[in-house]
Each structure stands twice: as structure tokens, then as C-alpha cells.
Amino acid sequence: MEETNQSAVSEFIFQGLCNSRKLQTLLLLPFSILYLMTVVGNLLVVLLIINDHRLHSPMYFLLANLSFVDFCLSSVTTPKLITDFLKDNKTISFGGCMSQILCVHFFGGGEMVLLVTMAYDRYVAICKPLHYSSIMNRQKCIGLVLISWIIGFLHAMSQLAMILDLPFCGPKVVDSFFCDIPLVIKLACMDTQTLGIVINADSGVLATTCFILLMISYTYILLSVRLHSKDGASKALSTCTSHITVVVLFFGPCIFIYLWPLSITWVDKFLAVFYTVITPLLNPAIYTLRNQEIKNAMKRLTN
């Protein structure tokens, strides 16, 4: 009786992105290049900001943290995806699966809160420029980043706690390329419909709350500055466009996956690839291409 209450599954099998062996071989090189670009791009942003004293400001401190989180988020799932392209049997241990779930929600939840912090930084810089240095001092910046890490950790632990003791006795095939909670709980040997709603609500509420706060923040910034001058509004829009683009790219897939009632396998896989592989690559590109100070720092580094 005691054994039946314990997990009988020691590993899970990933279905992967597709069933075609030939297509998997073709995808190996593109995804390897994407991951290499993600690692280089994000770590380059971090090193530039650390190395160049001209970038030692709250905005770039937060940007460096965002790049580091993106590097970590991509590294949780992408290396495993790439190596699995070479395998017919794509397995992951039970402990490895739980670790993936913990890390994806830790870094993902932390990034959501960090993006809200970046929006707050832009609000202070644009709407209260005379008080910016006193409001966004070093201690407050470090505190805000720590809060994002703590909320991410608490969110991840709450997600893991709800599934860690579920009885898994087979089947053990996960129809994805990493352990995503909505798919893993379907494999439990019990009715998980209510639990699934609670888990999705946990992630959905965090994502939706942060997204709404972000949209309110940027709307208030643009409306506030527009009342003072058209030039100011244009400058504010230019400053915030990069942030808004990143917010939409990151939150769109997350909200869709956890709040959309219908589950379409190929759509879910595409969105999962988007927020774990593509978005961490696009973030450094979006910020560097639109930021003259980052470009200047890169030129100083190469000269």
C-alpha cells in the first residue's frame, strides 16, 4: 500500500517538436545557432554594462539583470532540446523534470516582475526627472531586483509543491520538448482537473497582473508627457518602445498558454519555443539596436 502512494515513474519521455527524424536533423543547426546567439548576445550585454562606467545607471543595471535572466531561462530548456534532436529516445529523469519546472517558473516569474521594475524606472526617469537619482538610488535598485528574484522563487516553489507528490505510474510521455506543468500533471494517476485550474490560475494571475501593471505604467507615461510637450512625448515613446516590445513578446505566449481554455498541440509547442528560445534572443537585439549608448559601448570595447 505504501508503494502505490509513491511515484512509480523514474523518468519521462519527451515527444519533441516533431516526429520526423529527418526534420529533427534539419532543426539541429538552426537551434544550435539560435542558442549560441542567445548566450553571446545576453552575456555581451551583461559584460558591456559591467565593464563600461558610462552604463553604471539604474536603467542599465536592470537591463543587465534582464539579460542574465534571459540567458538562464534559455539555458534551462534549449541545450536539452538541441541534444534530443540527435536521439530517438528523448528521456529525462523524474528529478530532472522537476528541476526544469522549478527553473522555468523561477526565471520566468522573476523576469515578469523585473519587467515591471524596469517600467517603474522609466516612469520615474520620464515623469520625475529631477528626483530620479534620489528615488532610483543604488540600494533601491538592488532591493527591487532582489524582490523580483524572491517573487520568482516563491512562485516556482508554489508550482513545484503542487505537483511534486502527485502519483505518477504511467503513461510517461510528455508531448513537448521540456517539462511544462500543464502537460506533466495530465500524466498523474488521479483526477487533476481542479489542480490544473489552480496551477494555471497561479501562473495566469502573476502574468496577467504584471502585464496589466506594465500597460498601465507605459500608458500613464505617454499620456503624462504628452500633456507637457509633443517633443517629450516623442522622446518618451522612443525610450519606451523597446520595453513595450519586449513585454508583448514575453507576456503574449505566457498568458495564451496558461489562460487560453483550448489546447492545440502545435500552437502550444510554437509558443513554448517562442518564449524559451526566441524571446531570450530577441531581448538583447531589441535593446542594442535601439540604444545608442549600448552601441557606443560596443564600439569602445572593439576599439
Side-chain angles (χ1 to χ4, degrees):
M1 185 71 178
E2 187 175 339
E3 290 182 1
T4 59
N5 291 330
Q6 297 176 353
S7 173
V9 172
S10 60
E11 65 179 19
F12 293 98
I13 301 172
F14 290 143
Q15 195 77 20
L17 287 181
C18 59
N19 296 322
S20 170
R21 191 74 181 86
K22 185 176 181 180
L23 182 56
Q24 290 183 57
T25 305
L26 291 174
L27 291 173
L28 176 63
L29 182 59
F31 274 87
S32 298
I33 293 172
L34 286 174
Y35 179 62
L36 180 62
M37 291 171 65
T38 300
V39 172
V40 173
N42 282 292
L43 293 184
L44 179 61
V45 171
V46 174
L47 292 174
L48 276 175
I49 292 171
I50 292 174
N51 184 65
D52 197 318
H53 70 275
R54 296 178 182 84
L55 301 180
H56 290 180
S57 67
M59 184 179 76
Y60 293 109
F61 173 70
L62 296 174
L63 177 57
N65 277 275
L66 178 67
S67 292
F68 179 71
V69 172
D70 277 330
F71 160 71
C72 294
L73 180 61
S74 181
S75 296
V76 172
T77 59
T78 312
K80 172 69 174 166
L81 169 63
I82 293 170
T83 55
D84 279 348
F85 283 139
L86 301 171
K87 300 177 183 177
D88 290 321
N89 193 23
K90 306 171 179 59
T91 61
I92 186 171
S93 67
F94 181 85
C97 182
M98 296 300 111
S99 297
Q100 271 197 342
I101 289 172
L102 177 68
C103 291
V104 166
H105 285 270
F106 175 41
F107 295 120
E111 180 161 342
M112 290 179 189
V113 182
L114 186 59
L115 288 169
V116 174
T117 301
M118 293 177 74
Y120 174 72
D121 171 73
R122 290 300 84 206
Y123 160 75
V124 176
I126 294 170
C127 298
K128 299 184 179 181
L130 298 178
H131 302 284
Y132 180 72
S133 58
S134 60
I135 295 175
M136 294 300 295
N137 54 56
R138 183 180 181 84
Q139 290 76 17
K140 188 164 188 177
C141 286
I142 294 173
L144 289 171
V145 169
L146 285 175
I147 288 172
S148 72
W149 285 97
I150 291 169
I151 292 177
F153 178 73
L154 293 175
H155 167 66
M157 290 302 295
S158 69
Q159 294 277 293
L160 187 64
M162 286 188 277
I163 68 164
L164 193 58
D165 291 328
L166 288 177
F168 293 98
C169 52
K172 56 182 181 179
V173 178
V174 179
D175 193 7
S176 185
F177 61 92
F178 75 102
C179 285
D180 199 9
I181 287 184
L183 297 176
V184 172
I185 63 171
K186 289 180 181 178
L187 305 180
C189 303
M190 60 175 285
D191 183 9
T192 58
Q193 184 176 359
T194 303
L195 179 62
I197 294 172
V198 173
I199 289 174
N200 283 352
D202 185 4
S203 293
V205 166
L206 177 62
T208 306
T209 301
C210 289
F211 184 74
I212 291 172
L213 287 174
L214 285 162
M215 291 298 98
I216 291 173
S217 298
Y218 288 121
T219 301
Y220 182 80
I221 289 171
L222 297 177
L223 291 177
S224 172
V225 175
R226 188 179 179 184
L227 294 175
H228 294 82
S229 69
K230 291 184 178 180
D231 292 338
S234 178
K235 184 178 179 181
L237 180 61
S238 177
T239 304
C240 295
T241 299
S242 298
H243 294 259
I244 295 171
T245 304
V246 168
V247 165
V248 173
L249 290 175
F250 182 78
F251 279 88
C254 292
I255 293 174
F256 187 91
I257 287 174
Y258 287 100
L259 294 183
W260 191 252
L262 299 177
S263 179
I264 305 172
T265 301
W266 73 267
V267 174
D268 290 343
K269 287 184 180 181
F270 171 78
L271 293 175
V273 168
F274 199 86
Y275 79 80
T276 60
V277 180
I278 306 299
T279 302
L281 169 64
L282 291 177
N283 284 358
I286 291 168
Y287 282 112
T288 53
L289 291 175
R290 295 187 60 85
N291 192 298
Q292 191 59 46
E293 290 186 43
I294 292 286
K295 291 179 184 177
N296 293 336
M298 292 181 69
K299 290 177 183 177
R300 288 191 292 269
L301 185 67
T302 54
N303 290 339

